[in-house]
């Protein structure tokens, strides 16, 4: 069974600094995808970044990058140059891709990031 | 950019009543999902839907829940007889393929009194 662990319930970062949000996962499926979503206080779920298990390079999307360490089963999100608008809940999620049909995303418990002046 | 739309944004209902939550997925998407998030907790999978049938459902998705895609554009979640513990944010999501990201709607906040 797939499992996602986010061990940081809350994090603080100063504006313009970089921050790393931790995520570890467990799966027996060799083919899987890892996702990060942002949930601001308004409640919507915003897709940030995706990493496939067979991708050779770490994914990047603007100020977001994913530090993918396959042997350690970790997929940490790095946000560079933090902005006040980055304050939100961040969820790591995973799906196994060898299920042959619509496969569910399994979410971690989330990390609440607070960006300070 | 096309988006998943959910209505209503907030629904208040009395225990025992039926509710229908509505979603319009992105038009060329093939896979559809419902998730829920109890306040302050993690996002939980309810059900996935593909090719006009349920692909997978969680333990939460019991006989009180059902999904339909009645007309090729809407995707609905029905709760037959609501309980207090059904109070949560319900998210609809859709995607084109399995390695594409899930696009979530803005959610329906269901409050059961």
């Amino acid at each position: 069974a797939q499992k996602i662990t986010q061990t940081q319930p809350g994090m603080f970062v100063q504006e313009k600094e970089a921050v790393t949000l931790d995520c570890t996962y467990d799966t027996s499926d060799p083919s899987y995808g890892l996702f990060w979503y942002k949930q601001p206080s308004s409640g919507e779920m915003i897709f940030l970044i995706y990493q496939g298990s067979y991708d050779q390079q770490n994914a990047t999307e603007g100020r977001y990058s994913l530090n993918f360490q396959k042997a350690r089963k970790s997929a940490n999100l790095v946000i560079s140059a933090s902005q006040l608008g980055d304050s939100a809940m961040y969820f790591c999620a995973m799906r196994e891709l060898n299920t042959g049909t619509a496969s569910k995303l399994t979410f971690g418990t989330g990390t609440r990031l607070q960006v300070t002046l | 950019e096309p988006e998943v739309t959910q209505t209503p944004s907030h629904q208040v209902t009395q225990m025992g009543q039926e509710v229908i939550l509505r979603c319009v997925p992105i038009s060329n998407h093939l896979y559809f999902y419902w998730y829920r998030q109890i306040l302050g907790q993690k996002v939980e999978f309810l059900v996935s839907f593909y090719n006009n049938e349920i692909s997978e459902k969680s333990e939460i998705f019991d006989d009180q829940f059902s999904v339909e895609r009645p007309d090729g554009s809407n995707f609905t979640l029905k709760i037959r007889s609501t309980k207090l513990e059904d109070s949560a944010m319900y998210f609809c999501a859709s995607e084109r393929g399995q390695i594409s990201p899930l696009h979530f709607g803005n959610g329906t906040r269901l409050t059961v009194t």
Side-chain angles (χ1 to χ4, degrees):
Chain A
Q2 53 187 334
K3 188 179 175 185
I4 289 278
T5 302
Q6 293 180 257
T7 57
Q8 304 155 315
M11 290 281 285
F12 286 88
V13 64
Q14 274 198 323
E15 201 181 14
K16 299 176 189 167
E17 297 294 308
V19 63
T20 297
L21 306 184
D22 294 342
C23 173
T24 57
Y25 60 92
D26 193 21
T27 178
S28 55
D29 192 332
S31 180
Y32 52 88
L34 296 154
F35 302 78
W36 278 91
Y37 283 85
K38 172 184 178 181
Q39 187 178 42
S41 56
S42 49
E44 69 267 34
M45 296 288 285
I46 302 167
F47 166 72
L48 296 178
I49 196 166
Y50 167 81
Q51 180 86 42
S53 58
Y54 293 119
D55 293 343
Q56 295 297 311
Q57 293 194 321
N58 286 345
T60 61
E61 288 285 347
R63 294 186 298 111
Y64 304 109
S65 60
L66 203 152
N67 183 3
F68 181 44
Q69 297 191 38
K70 195 169 180 177
R72 292 185 174 187
K73 293 190 174 179
S74 74
N76 298 339
L77 177 70
V78 180
I79 306 174
S80 62
S82 298
Q83 301 170 355
L84 294 177
D86 294 334
S87 295
M89 188 72 127
Y90 288 80
F91 289 99
C92 181
M94 182 182 77
R95 75 186 334 168
E96 294 168 342
L97 299 176
N98 276 337
T99 61
T101 182
S103 61
K104 65 185 180 193
L105 270 184
T106 297
F107 284 82
T109 50
T111 295
R112 184 167 299 284
L113 177 67
Q114 186 69 46
V115 181
T116 60
L117 291 170
Chain B
E1 186 175 322
E3 57 183 31
V4 177
T5 55
Q6 288 186 245
T7 54
S9 57
H10 193 183
Q11 172 109 33
V12 181
T13 190
Q14 285 193 322
M15 197 167 55
Q17 295 296 303
E18 175 183 285
V19 294
I20 297 176
L21 310 183
R22 301 180 194 281
C23 170
V24 180
I26 296 173
S27 63
N28 63 349
H29 284 191
L30 302 175
Y31 301 85
F32 313 108
Y33 304 82
W34 283 100
Y35 287 80
R36 80 169 186 192
Q37 185 182 32
I38 294 171
L39 188 63
Q41 298 186 23
K42 66 193 253 185
V43 181
E44 300 173 294
F45 168 76
L46 290 178
V47 66
S48 59
F49 193 87
Y50 170 70
N51 205 23
N52 287 322
E53 60 183 26
I54 290 175
S55 297
E56 185 180 358
K57 56 186 180 180
S58 71
E59 291 171 354
I60 302 166
F61 194 89
D62 61 21
D63 292 344
Q64 293 301 310
F65 290 86
S66 62
V67 288
E68 263 194 335
R69 191 157 156 77
D71 56 12
S73 62
N74 290 288
F75 181 50
T76 61
L77 175 70
K78 184 194 288 186
I79 310 175
R80 254 180 279 284
S81 177
T82 49
K83 302 188 280 278
L84 294 176
E85 53 264 38
D86 293 327
S87 294
M89 181 76 100
Y90 287 80
F91 289 103
C92 172
S94 71
E95 64 181 351
R96 202 154 40 91
Q98 288 289 275
I99 60 168
S100 56
L102 243 57
H103 293 260
F104 283 83
N106 286 345
T108 293
R109 183 167 296 286
L110 177 66
T111 303
V112 182
T113 62

